[in-house]
């Protein structure tokens, strides 16, 4: 008959901590949401920032502009009313002047001055072209500026489409180019406007008068592929981000090409599809690209019932870091710094966050496209870094076993009432596993782990006395074995991710460990007349180190060296208190191994 009882108490801690003096970003506030009300948005949004870091959001689908405080508090909005002097048709890009004037990219109708129409009463003809609406710091409409003179017929009349004028009369409308194309807008300290329309930049004066226009493609620029963002520095130099060219182009205020910097790659000073640029008040440039770094690490924590992380196998979970980067440059295009933004490893919704803006102090604004919530992250130099992770696992286990054996062949009077052999085993196990890991950057990780295990086991055996006596049978053989053991392992790991590509992932890892085992085993007879006693002690240690290096995506080189050493001793005294045996053993073994793993 065997009875097994098990009592397990598991205490888990997952403690995200930060310990670093390097700059990083931390979440500070959140604002927005879906809808048409105050501080709510529709899907298509554009963002800009005032000199005091006030936040402005152009909401294309809701046809309005909203202003917020630096922390996301609603201030006012600009909407088109029936009696408005302006008309929102497709508001998109937005820029804020140093006097907090608001400039919004849109479209407008301009009636063509055609002398031939003075002789007929035909329908009015309008050019439909891009413009900039200007509002003052309080959101009051000032004027609308067309980016070029649309008062004359530019396209042939055959391109006109039927429409209605302001009085509801039939009119003909000539669209100036693709009405779905994207415009980029920025404003310098003097109020001059710069509008990037495809491959051309238009410059308007502070009063909206056309000043000049010039092509982006000039000698030395190479082939411009896809401009996606624009900004202007304190000296009125213009910077255009070429997403597909993986670079940034710099022009003077007069439109002369000055320099280009950047190339494809995820190393310092390189870009992978850059898409956002901001000129900061400190005179530097921040540039964001689409480089993303995924870093997984294994955990021995059992999966919680409410754990959203589903990447685990058996007792092992894989927690994931998602790192994005912002790079800092001087206005001369010299790389100076890389800033990493680590997102919470268990939150799947952070995967879809979109960087919508960088204000003049370097704060980042990410949009959750599902809930239309803006999340603000501010640069900080914390004492404790979010890229420093600790994981502590504590476990205590008690196992109870009771084994009873009754021999049916002995025909004793105690059949089924008293067993011939009874064994009771009690084992207590205490386990502590501490892991500290720190991501030095997107490619390097340093980890320190300590695993400590303590086991105490008692095994008590009871034998019935024999009906006859001989030399051995004259002693009661009941005994108790007690074992105490300690196992402590400390390990350091250093991991270098050589290639983050999902299709060509490669890494190199170096590790070193030291392990200590202490064991004390005693077996002692319970009967005072039985002097049998056995004592065994062991002190064992081993250390090891090694590296593995990915030669390619499918081949890995491994080298390991281990050194095992230790000794044990024992003493055995028999039932009559005579020293029966004693001795000791020593071991010292070194092993080195080199091998290559490959998948064909």
């Amino acid at each position: 008959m065997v009875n097994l009882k098990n009592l397990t108490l598991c205490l888990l801690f997952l403690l995200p901590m930060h310990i670093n003096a390097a700059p990083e970003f931390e979440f500070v506030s959140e604002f927005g949401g879906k809808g048409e009300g105050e501080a709510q948005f529709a899907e298509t949004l554009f963002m800009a920032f005032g000199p005091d870091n006030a936040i402005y959001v152009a909401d294309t689908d809701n046809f309005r502009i909203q202003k917020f405080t630096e922390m996301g508090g609603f201030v006012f909005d600009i909407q088109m009313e029936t009696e408005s002097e302006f008309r929102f048709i497709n508001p998109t890009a937005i820029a804020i002047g140093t006097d907090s004037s608001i400039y919004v990219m849109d479209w407008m109708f301009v009636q063509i001055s055609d002398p031939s129409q003075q002789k007929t009463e035909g329908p009015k003809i309008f050019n439909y072209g891009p413009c900039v609406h200007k509002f003052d710091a309080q959101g009051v409409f000032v004027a609308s500026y067309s980016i070029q003179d649309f008062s004359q017929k530019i396209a042939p009349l055959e391109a006109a489409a039927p429409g209605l004028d302001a009085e509801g009369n039939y009119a003909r409308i000539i669209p100036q180019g693709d009405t779905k194309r994207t415009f980029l807008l920025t404003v310098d300290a003097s109020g001059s406007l710069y509008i990037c329309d495809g491959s051309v930049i238009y410059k308007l004066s502070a009063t909206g008068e056309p000043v000049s226009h010039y092509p982006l493609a000039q000698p030395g620029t190479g082939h411009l592929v896809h401009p996606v963002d624009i900004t202007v520095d304190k000296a009125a130099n213009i910077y255009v981000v070429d997403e597909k060219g993986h670079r940034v182009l710099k022009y003077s205020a007069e439109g002369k090409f000055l320099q280009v910097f950047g190339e494809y790659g995820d190393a310092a000073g390189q870009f992978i599809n850059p898409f956002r640029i901001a000129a900061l008040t400190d005179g530097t440039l921040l540039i964001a690209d689409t480089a993303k770094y995924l870093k997984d690490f294994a955990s021995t924590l059992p999966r919680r019932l409410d754990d959203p992380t589903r990447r685990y196998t058996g007792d092992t979970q894989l927690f994931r870091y998602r790192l994005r980067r912002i790079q800092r440059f001087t206005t001369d295009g010299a790389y100076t710094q890389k800033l990493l933004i680590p997102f919470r490893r268990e939150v799947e919704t952070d995967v879809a966050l979109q960087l919508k803006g960088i204000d003049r102090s370097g704060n980042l604004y990410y949009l959750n496209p599902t809930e239309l919530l803006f999340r603000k992250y501010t640069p900080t130099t914390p004492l404790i870094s979010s890229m420093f992770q600790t994981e502590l696992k504590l476990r205590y286990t008690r196992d109870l076993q009771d084994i009873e054996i009754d021999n049916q062949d002995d025909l004793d009077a105690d059949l089924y009432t008293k067993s011939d052999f009874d064994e009771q085993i009690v084992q207590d196990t205490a386990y502590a596993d501490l892991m500290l890991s720190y991501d030095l950057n997107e490619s390097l990780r340093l980890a320190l782990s300590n695993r400590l295990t303590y086991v105490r086991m008692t095994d008590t055996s009871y034998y019935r006395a024999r009906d006859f006596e001989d030399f051995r049978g004259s002693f009661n053989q009941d005994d108790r074995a007690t074992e105490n053991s300690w196992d402590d392992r400390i390990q350091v790991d250093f991991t270098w991710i050589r290639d983050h590509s999902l299709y060509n992932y490669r890494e190199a890892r170096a590790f070193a460990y030291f392990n200590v085992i202490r064991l004390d085993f005693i077996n002692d007879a319970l009967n005072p007349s039985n002097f049998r006693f056995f004592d065994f002690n062991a002190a064992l240690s081993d250390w090891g180190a090694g590296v593995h290096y990915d030669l390619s995506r499918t081949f890995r080189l491994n080298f390991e060296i281990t050194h095992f050493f230790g000794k044990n001793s024992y003493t055995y005294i028999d039932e009559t208190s005579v020293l029966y045996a004693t001795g000791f053993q020593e071991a010292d073994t070194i092993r080195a191994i080199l091998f290559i793993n490959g998948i064909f």
Side-chain angles (χ1 to χ4, degrees):
M1 179 175 60
V2 178
N3 298 320
L4 179 61
K5 300 179 181 179
N6 182 276
L7 175 64
T8 303
L9 175 64
C10 184
L11 180 61
L12 304 177
F13 293 96
L14 186 61
L15 307 174
M17 302 185 68
H18 320 205
I19 189 166
N20 183 9
E24 61 179 63
F25 291 87
E26 66 175 355
F27 169 76
V28 292
S29 63
E30 187 176 63
F31 66 96
K34 287 184 178 180
E36 300 178 357
E38 182 179 293
Q40 293 181 329
F41 310 107
E43 183 177 1
T44 308
L45 303 174
F46 298 83
M47 180 173 274
F49 306 93
D52 57 350
N53 285 340
I55 304 165
Y56 299 80
V57 179
D59 188 340
T60 302
D61 301 321
N62 280 331
F63 301 98
R64 67 174 178 177
I65 311 299
Q66 295 189 76
K67 178 180 178 179
F68 301 88
T69 66
E70 186 179 0
M71 296 303 294
F74 177 79
V75 179
F76 65 74
D77 64 355
I78 303 172
Q79 299 191 58
M80 184 180 65
E81 306 293 344
T82 304
E83 64 278 5
S84 296
E85 300 179 63
F86 66 93
R87 176 183 299 178
F88 278 147
I89 297 176
N90 186 41
T92 53
I94 182 171
I96 311 300
T98 55
D99 60 351
S100 295
S101 295
I102 305 167
Y103 303 89
V104 182
M105 201 73 212
D106 204 350
W107 289 75
M108 68 184 302
F109 295 94
V110 179
Q111 186 176 354
I112 295 176
S113 299
D114 189 349
S116 64
Q117 284 193 313
Q118 297 177 1
K119 302 176 182 179
T120 65
E121 296 184 358
K124 296 179 180 179
I125 301 175
F126 294 87
N127 274 324
Y128 179 54
C131 71
V132 177
H133 300 306
K134 179 179 180 179
F135 304 86
D136 66 16
Q138 287 71 45
V140 177
F141 175 71
V142 176
S144 294
Y145 309 140
S146 58
I147 67 171
Q148 62 186 100
D149 184 6
F150 293 131
S151 62
Q152 304 298 321
K153 185 168 65 175
I154 300 175
L157 190 59
E158 288 77 11
L164 298 176
D165 62 18
E167 290 77 29
N169 299 317
Y170 173 71
R172 304 192 71 179
I173 300 172
I174 304 176
Q176 300 304 310
D178 181 6
T179 59
K180 301 297 183 181
R181 68 186 188 271
T182 300
F183 298 92
L184 308 176
L185 175 66
T186 190
V187 57
D188 66 19
S190 65
S192 296
L193 295 168
Y194 303 86
I195 301 100
C196 182
D197 181 6
S199 60
V200 178
I201 288 184
Y202 293 89
K203 181 178 181 179
L204 307 182
S205 70
T207 57
E209 298 296 326
V211 176
S212 64
H213 67 277
Y214 50 87
L216 293 175
Q218 299 180 25
T221 61
H223 178 57
L224 192 73
V225 180
H226 190 203
V228 292
D229 201 14
I230 188 173
T231 193
V232 59
D233 64 18
K234 295 178 181 179
N237 294 309
I238 310 301
Y239 302 85
V240 178
V241 177
D242 180 7
E243 180 186 34
K244 295 183 180 178
H246 314 288
R247 58 186 184 156
V248 175
L249 296 97
K250 179 180 178 180
Y251 301 83
S252 69
E254 293 73 33
K256 180 183 178 181
F257 170 70
L258 298 178
Q259 70 174 120
V260 61
F261 59 92
E263 61 181 1
Y264 180 81
D266 61 3
Q270 297 179 331
F271 302 116
I272 298 179
N273 301 117
F275 65 94
R276 192 74 60 203
I277 187 171
L280 306 190
T281 55
D282 63 6
T284 63
L285 302 171
L286 287 187
I287 302 174
D289 68 351
T290 59
K292 296 180 182 178
Y293 307 98
L294 304 181
K295 302 188 72 176
D296 293 342
F297 69 91
S299 167
T300 58
L301 291 179
R303 187 173 186 269
R304 303 189 305 268
L305 294 178
D306 60 344
D307 193 341
T309 306
R310 302 188 181 279
R311 296 173 299 277
Y312 72 101
T313 303
D315 294 332
T316 301
Q317 294 187 82
L318 289 179
F319 288 110
R320 170 162 291 179
Y321 262 134
R322 301 178 185 90
L323 302 174
R324 304 184 191 181
R325 71 173 180 179
I326 303 290
Q327 297 186 85
R328 189 186 302 274
F329 293 81
T330 67
T331 54
D332 293 329
Y335 167 83
T336 62
Q337 187 182 35
K338 173 165 47 182
L339 305 173
L340 294 175
I341 306 99
F343 290 99
R344 287 177 291 175
R345 60 192 184 187
E346 298 95 347
V347 182
E348 295 292 338
T349 54
D350 284 355
V351 176
L353 290 179
Q354 302 170 357
L355 179 62
K356 299 297 288 187
I358 306 172
D359 69 22
R360 303 183 191 198
S361 297
N363 298 304
L364 309 181
Y365 296 81
Y366 282 91
L367 177 68
N368 181 330
T370 303
E371 301 177 0
L372 295 181
L373 286 171
F374 282 100
R375 295 174 59 87
K376 179 179 178 179
Y377 294 82
T378 188
T380 182
T381 305
L383 175 64
I384 302 182
S385 168
S386 60
M387 299 182 68
F388 185 79
Q389 298 287 329
T390 68
E391 181 180 292
L392 175 62
K393 178 179 178 180
L394 303 177
R395 183 188 298 271
Y396 169 72
T397 303
R398 164 160 281 203
D399 288 322
L400 305 176
Q401 297 186 50
D402 190 357
I403 303 172
E404 297 179 358
I405 300 176
D406 192 358
N407 186 357
Q408 301 184 27
D409 298 328
D410 59 6
L411 300 180
D412 60 14
D414 296 324
L415 184 63
Y416 302 120
T417 62
K418 186 176 181 181
S419 61
D420 295 298
F421 175 80
D422 186 3
E423 182 178 13
Q424 297 175 355
I425 302 174
V426 179
Q427 179 170 306
D428 295 286
T429 303
Y431 172 91
D433 195 352
L434 175 64
M435 182 183 69
L436 311 176
S437 65
Y438 176 63
D439 287 284
L440 302 172
N441 54 38
E442 74 279 12
S443 299
L444 303 177
R445 166 175 289 156
L446 184 64
L448 173 67
S449 59
N450 182 208
R451 185 183 63 203
L452 176 64
T453 304
Y454 171 71
V455 178
R456 177 178 175 81
M457 186 270 294
T458 60
D459 185 348
T460 307
S461 301
Y462 299 95
Y463 302 83
R464 290 194 61 195
R466 294 171 177 263
D467 292 334
F468 59 91
E469 293 185 2
D470 59 18
F471 178 76
R472 294 295 176 186
S474 62
F475 301 103
N476 189 312
Q477 294 300 307
D478 297 349
D479 62 7
R480 175 176 291 119
T482 303
E483 177 182 329
N484 291 278
S485 66
W486 293 88
D487 187 343
D488 191 12
R489 178 187 177 101
I490 298 177
Q491 181 163 323
V492 177
D493 292 88
F494 182 78
T495 304
W496 169 34
I497 300 178
R498 301 174 55 219
D499 192 330
H500 290 267
S501 169
L502 294 176
Y503 304 101
N504 194 34
Y505 182 87
R506 289 186 296 167
E507 72 172 34
R509 173 174 170 261
F511 69 91
Y513 73 88
F514 183 72
N515 193 51
V516 175
I517 299 175
R518 296 294 182 263
L519 175 65
D520 183 13
F521 178 85
I522 295 175
N523 183 273
D524 192 9
L526 298 179
N527 192 320
S529 63
N530 189 341
F531 296 97
R532 179 167 51 82
F533 180 81
F534 178 75
D535 186 11
F536 177 86
N537 294 277
L540 310 175
S541 300
D542 71 291
W543 62 263
V547 296
H548 70 236
Y549 187 88
D550 290 338
L551 301 172
S552 66
R553 183 185 176 190
T554 56
F555 283 89
R556 169 172 290 181
L557 174 69
N558 295 266
F559 174 74
E560 297 178 10
I561 183 170
T562 59
H563 180 200
F564 174 83
F565 57 96
K567 62 181 179 180
N568 63 65
S569 61
Y570 62 92
T571 300
Y572 178 57
I573 298 175
D574 70 7
E575 291 85 347
T576 62
S577 191
V578 174
L579 179 62
Y580 186 85
T582 186
F584 71 94
Q585 294 177 315
E586 288 186 339
D588 195 321
T589 303
I590 298 177
R591 181 189 185 200
I593 183 170
L594 175 67
F595 59 96
I596 295 178
N597 291 337
I599 300 176
F600 295 91

